[in-house]
Amino acid sequence: MFKAIPHHQGLVNPFEISDEKILEKVYQTHFHCVEKYDHGSLYLVASNVIKHSIETSELIFKNEKQINQDKEETAPSISFPRLPLLKQISCQMICVGSGEKDEFADEITILILKQLRSYSWEAKAAISLAAFALEFGKFWHLALPPRGDELGKWLAELNGIENLSENKEQLSRFNGLMKKVMEVIGECMTNNNEEYNIEDVPALAETLHHIPVLVYWAIITLVTSATHIHSFTHKGYKYELSKFDEKIDSILKNFRELREKCKMQIGAIEDYKRRKDIISSAIETTTNKDIDIVNFLDALIIPNNGSQDQKLVVYNGISREQQVGVQDFKNKYVLLFISSIDDNFEGEIQLLKSMNEKLKEDPKEIQGYKKEDLKILWIQLVDEGDGDEKPSKASLENLEKGWYVVKEFKFKTGIRLMREVFNYKDKAIIMLIGPQGKVENHDAKHTISTWGIDGFPFRASDHIRLTKQWDWFWNVLTDLSPSIRELIEKGCYLFIYGSTNNKWIQDFTTALENLNESMKSPETTSIEWYQFGRESPKIIPCFWIAIDNLLLSTKKQKKNEEKEEENSVTREIQKLLLLKQDPNGWVVLSKGRQVKLLGEGEAMLYTVKAFDAWKKGRLYKEVSFDSGFKHHYEHERSKRKQKCAHREFANYPTDILAQIPCPVKCGHEMEVTSVNYKCCHGLESSHHI
């Protein structure tokens, strides 16, 4: 046996100092890793040597004669001049005398770490394991040489390898310790989290700091264990490594707990990435066929099974069910109303309540979309630091209104997504999500407040459509009367009106002046008005000729493109031309360039006159001026006997009108000189125009 290395005074017993002190101590032996080394392959070879050695010992204890040769592993190629260094470290390990104090094993361990200072911690552990395997493997190989191996037999005799069965129990405990050491080093090898940083995975810092401590205890255990190898044959050999068993168990348990924390935190990162990919795809222009509204809501608000976040509860105010799943929203448009408990969201509440009432009214379908296919989902966020605040009373009340409500939403991942992807900044937002899980409108609140139910289903495209729907009107009007531009640019409510009835013009102008006086308070909106043709009566016929020409061009376009339905522009032009012939007059109510209402003169006059009465009602207090105005206008209009719409077309090109054959069977089409459109509603007798 090699002569023991001389020891020095002032050695430290590693069992008497903390792991923090050990970490500080071993870090002093470590330089920047410059040696590139395949430690994984070396670990595989060394661990196979130890595993087969343990199997050999177990076979001997069972009085077997030979190892099963069918169990073979392919040895990986290792590009490392391993033998000199491994032999040197192996010799240093066995030079610690059996039974010597732990301080001496610590000294040899530090010496080995200094020799391996330029290697990674994983490589240090793998090389030390391989150095131990040299001696451990040789011993057990000689203990049971294959049949016919006379050399092995005599070498075993020379090394005094006999009487192993007497120490069966002690050797089994020793083998158990070796298995634990391999587990420790194996854990170090599999700690591959290089793609994550400490900021994202806080537990990673402690885990990385724990690896040098793990490596130290693995090496010192190997050093101490190496001194026991040649004592296996001694009669009465005693296993004296119990404290290493306990220490290895302890550090392995702690390390695995840290790894589990890392795994959970990394899992949370991967889960967030997955959810964010789904939510982010919702705001992209391309459509993902694998995602729909159910996938979208699941990614946004549903915690994983086993999550520490509070279980989500979605209350259904329609069926009065206490809890529903996101499947309720399949194939639906969802108005996603997001607020925090501290938000001032009364304005949004009133807006949605008003809109929700309109959804229940006839018609049940607008622009080809069913009103019943739109759902409101209100999510009330509770961030950290909000304490145990209860949901606002408004949220409970709205269960009666047919809304879906998520109370006290505390799912951290979902809140983070709303803040990062939707740019939610503690100010209530209303978004529209389509059936395919696409964000159809980032600011549905603006669309609803601007257009009311006319903007249904409140997509961004609906806002654009309605805005452009009246471009033709403004283009013609501003070309003929440039002075109106200033009123339009103010962005306030603007009444534009005209009539051949001078008395109605005078009455309506007076009513607007009174309305303006009534609205001169800080909390109300200012109005402006423009009497069409007052500046220059000559523009009136020019305006109507231009509008007639627009109708002609839209009808030609409709025929050329073979559209089955008239577009909205055509309908609005027709409506204005029909109102032109109203004996009282016509009125356009807009806000800036956004036309809110095109109305009949008589009903509009009474609506303006009655402002002081209807502004006190609940609807006016809850919604915008134009919504309240439109509601009262429809009320006034319904009180009066409706005259059926009529319109005369004279001298129009025949390609836009129906062709009728001559009843005398001359074979020619009849010439169109005028057209008489007669109502069949039965509300009044027909007229010829």
Side-chain angles (χ1 to χ4, degrees):
M1 185 175 290
F2 292 99
K3 184 179 179 182
I5 295 175
H7 307 302
H8 304 283
Q9 298 296 324
L11 298 179
V12 178
N13 187 333
F15 289 97
E16 296 176 355
I17 61 175
S18 65
D19 286 344
E20 288 75 16
K21 289 291 184 181
I22 289 176
L23 177 63
E24 182 181 343
K25 183 177 179 179
V26 298
Y27 251 122
Q28 294 176 5
T29 69
H30 184 66
F31 290 179
H32 178 67
C33 300
V34 294
E35 297 286 350
K36 300 299 180 182
Y37 183 56
D38 184 7
H39 53 264
S41 296
L42 181 61
Y43 170 75
L44 179 63
V45 172
S47 60
N48 279 331
V49 169
I50 295 174
K51 287 175 185 176
H52 280 286
S53 298
I54 292 173
E55 289 177 5
T56 299
S57 68
E58 292 171 348
L59 287 169
I60 291 174
F61 299 150
K62 293 177 182 178
N63 295 318
E64 298 284 349
K65 299 299 183 181
Q66 190 169 358
I67 297 178
N68 183 0
Q69 296 296 330
D70 294 333
K71 194 179 272 189
E72 295 182 358
E73 287 87 6
T74 302
S77 58
I78 308 172
S79 56
F80 179 73
R82 52 190 180 278
L83 192 57
L85 180 60
L86 296 182
K87 287 289 291 183
Q88 181 181 351
I89 294 175
S90 180
C91 290
Q92 290 169 347
M93 286 182 173
I94 63 176
C95 282
V96 179
S98 177
E100 290 201 59
K101 293 183 178 181
D102 300 320
E103 290 88 341
F104 302 144
D106 171 74
E107 184 180 25
I108 296 301
T109 301
I110 296 301
L111 177 63
I112 292 171
L113 288 172
K114 288 180 178 178
Q115 289 175 273
L116 303 176
R117 58 186 176 275
S118 58
Y119 292 90
S120 68
W121 293 105
E122 295 86 351
K124 296 178 201 288
I127 293 170
S128 300
L129 184 68
F132 174 83
L134 279 176
E135 197 66 28
F136 190 64
K138 182 179 70 174
F139 178 89
W140 286 110
H141 180 71
L142 294 176
L144 188 61
R147 291 192 186 98
D149 185 0
E150 293 296 323
L151 177 60
K153 177 181 177 182
W154 293 113
L155 282 173
E157 183 72 23
L158 189 62
N159 282 271
I161 301 177
E162 56 186 10
N163 300 323
L164 292 173
S165 297
E166 294 182 8
N167 299 321
K168 176 180 177 180
E169 183 179 346
Q170 306 297 321
L171 290 176
S172 294
R173 294 177 65 188
F174 184 93
N175 289 341
L177 178 60
M178 292 305 98
K179 291 177 182 178
K180 292 177 183 178
V181 172
M182 286 193 293
E183 283 187 62
V184 168
I185 298 176
E187 289 285 349
C188 295
M189 298 293 171
T190 57
N191 189 55
N192 299 318
N193 296 317
E194 292 86 357
E195 66 270 31
Y196 301 101
N197 58 55
I198 294 173
E199 291 181 358
D200 295 331
V201 187
L204 188 57
E206 192 174 356
T207 303
L208 294 175
H209 284 158
H210 210 71
I211 289 177
V213 177
L214 224 63
V215 170
Y216 169 85
W217 280 108
I219 295 176
I220 194 173
T221 302
L222 291 172
V223 169
T224 306
S225 300
T227 66
H228 285 239
I229 293 175
H230 292 282
S231 301
F232 293 165
T233 59
H234 295 177
K235 189 174 182 179
Y237 165 71
K238 291 184 178 181
Y239 180 75
E240 298 175 341
L241 300 172
S242 298
K243 56 186 175 183
F244 285 94
D245 263 312
E246 295 173 2
K247 186 63 181 181
I248 291 295
D249 285 341
S250 174
I251 62 173
L252 192 56
K253 177 177 178 292
N254 292 340
F255 187 72
R256 284 174 173 168
E257 288 176 353
L258 289 172
R259 288 286 301 276
E260 189 60 31
K261 285 183 181 179
C262 287
K263 183 179 178 181
M264 290 178 61
Q265 292 172 1
I266 290 171
I269 292 173
E270 295 301 324
D271 181 59
Y272 180 77
K273 287 180 180 178
R274 177 188 66 82
R275 292 172 183 269
K276 188 173 183 179
D277 286 343
I278 294 173
I279 302 303
S280 297
S281 70
I283 61 177
E284 296 173 356
T285 55
T286 56
T287 300
N288 188 333
K289 295 181 180 179
D290 297 326
I291 297 175
D292 62 6
I293 183 63
V294 173
N295 303 130
F296 175 90
L297 292 175
D298 185 77
L300 183 64
I301 65 176
I302 304 297
N304 294 326
N305 290 333
S307 171
Q308 295 180 353
D309 291 284
Q310 183 183 24
K311 185 177 180 181
L312 181 77
V313 178
V314 181
Y315 293 93
N316 183 351
I318 300 173
S319 64
R320 304 298 301 277
E321 295 179 27
Q322 285 295 300
Q323 183 175 345
V324 297
V326 292
Q327 285 292 334
D328 274 33
F329 301 98
K330 190 172 182 63
N331 298 323
K332 305 295 183 183
Y333 280 90
V334 175
L335 277 174
L336 193 60
F337 175 26
I338 302 172
S339 70
S340 69
I341 288 180
D342 293 331
D343 276 353
N344 180 13
F345 44 73
E346 288 305 315
E348 286 79 5
I349 291 287
Q350 300 303 338
L351 182 68
L352 290 175
K353 284 172 67 176
S354 173
M355 185 275 298
N356 195 50
E357 291 300 317
K358 293 290 184 181
L359 290 175
K360 299 174 184 177
E361 299 174 358
D362 290 329
K364 300 299 184 182
E365 189 173 305
I366 299 177
Q367 295 291 326
Y369 295 94
K370 295 180 180 179
K371 290 180 177 180
E372 65 183 18
D373 287 339
L374 180 73
K375 305 296 181 185
I376 302 173
L377 175 60
W378 183 9
I379 301 176
Q380 290 189 308
L381 309 188
V382 180
D383 273 324
E384 290 184 7
D386 286 343
D388 297 325
E389 295 183 52
K390 299 298 180 184
S392 65
K393 184 179 178 182
S395 66
L396 300 174
E397 291 174 348
N398 283 293
L399 292 177
E400 308 290 334
K401 307 297 181 183
W403 299 19
Y404 292 80
V405 179
V406 179
K407 300 189 299 180
E408 299 185 78
F409 184 71
K410 299 178 180 179
F411 181 33
K412 296 176 184 177
T413 301
I415 294 174
R416 181 182 172 192
L417 285 168
M418 293 176 196
R419 292 192 180 282
E420 292 186 5
V421 181
F422 299 156
N423 199 30
Y424 174 73
K425 296 181 178 179
D426 299 315
K427 185 176 180 181
I429 59 174
I430 303 174
M431 305 173 62
L432 179 72
I433 316 299
Q436 299 306 314
K438 303 292 293 181
V439 177
E440 301 283 357
N441 195 342
H442 290 273
D443 187 9
K445 173 185 173 182
H446 177 63
T447 303
I448 297 170
S449 61
T450 301
W451 302 109
I453 196 64
D454 293 336
F456 180 85
F458 314 115
R459 300 163 300 178
S461 59
D462 294 314
H463 180 77
I464 295 171
R465 170 180 58 82
L466 289 167
T467 301
K468 291 183 176 181
Q469 186 171 298
W470 284 87
D471 281 352
W472 56 271
F473 176 76
W474 298 114
N475 291 339
V476 173
L477 190 61
T478 54
D479 284 345
L480 295 173
S481 181
S483 61
I484 199 174
R485 292 180 186 271
E486 184 178 345
L487 296 177
I488 297 171
E489 290 172 359
K490 283 184 177 181
C492 60
Y493 286 106
L494 175 62
F495 288 88
I496 302 171
Y497 57 99
S499 177
T500 56
N501 186 332
N502 291 330
K503 184 178 186 309
W504 181 89
I505 287 286
Q506 183 178 356
D507 291 344
F508 193 71
T509 302
T510 302
L512 288 174
E513 290 172 349
N514 294 334
L515 173 63
N516 189 43
E517 288 296 323
S518 298
M519 297 181 68
K520 283 185 177 179
S521 60
E523 66 275 7
T524 55
T525 307
S526 63
I527 65 167
E528 297 285 351
W529 56 91
Y530 176 80
Q531 180 186 335
F532 181 61
R534 182 178 179 180
E535 295 176 345
S536 175
K538 294 180 181 180
I539 70 171
I540 296 177
C542 295
F543 175 81
W544 293 115
I545 290 172
I547 299 302
D548 280 338
N549 289 335
L550 278 171
L551 181 62
L552 173 62
S553 65
T554 57
K555 282 184 173 291
K556 282 185 176 181
Q557 182 181 8
K558 171 179 177 286
K559 184 175 181 179
N560 292 338
E561 296 179 1
E562 298 182 349
K563 294 181 180 178
E564 294 182 358
E565 297 180 359
E566 293 183 344
N567 60 48
S568 57
V569 172
T570 302
R571 289 195 297 270
E572 297 302 337
I573 293 175
Q574 289 176 329
K575 187 176 179 181
L576 180 61
L577 288 171
L578 291 169
L579 285 176
K580 167 194 172 185
Q581 300 179 61
D582 188 300
N584 288 312
W586 54 272
V587 182
V588 173
L589 171 62
S590 73
K591 188 173 185 181
R593 294 178 64 90
Q594 297 167 355
V595 174
K596 303 293 186 178
L597 179 63
L598 176 58
E600 301 168 358
E602 185 178 15
M604 291 292 277
L605 173 61
Y606 281 97
T607 301
V608 173
K609 283 184 174 181
F611 173 73
D612 286 335
W614 61 261
K615 75 174 182 179
K616 299 176 182 178
R618 177 181 61 85
L619 184 65
Y620 179 74
K621 295 177 181 178
E622 294 180 353
V623 298
S624 58
F625 167 77
D626 57 275
S627 295
F629 190 96
K630 287 164 67 175
H631 178 80
H632 194 74
Y633 167 78
E634 294 297 339
H635 174 69
E636 289 289 343
R637 189 167 176 266
S638 65
K639 292 193 304 183
R640 289 162 176 75
K641 183 179 179 180
Q642 298 297 306
K643 292 183 179 180
C644 293
H646 58 279
R647 174 77 174 114
E648 176 183 356
F649 291 92
N651 300 321
Y652 269 83
T654 57
D655 62 350
I656 69 166
L657 300 170
Q659 301 294 323
I660 303 175
C662 176
V664 189
K665 298 184 180 179
C666 69
H668 295 86
E669 299 287 345
M670 296 179 66
E671 179 183 359
V672 181
T673 58
S674 66
V675 179
N676 176 27
Y677 284 91
K678 183 172 67 175
C679 172
C680 60
H681 293 168
L683 298 179
E684 63 175 7
S685 59
S686 62
H687 357 317
H688 177 76
I689 302 169

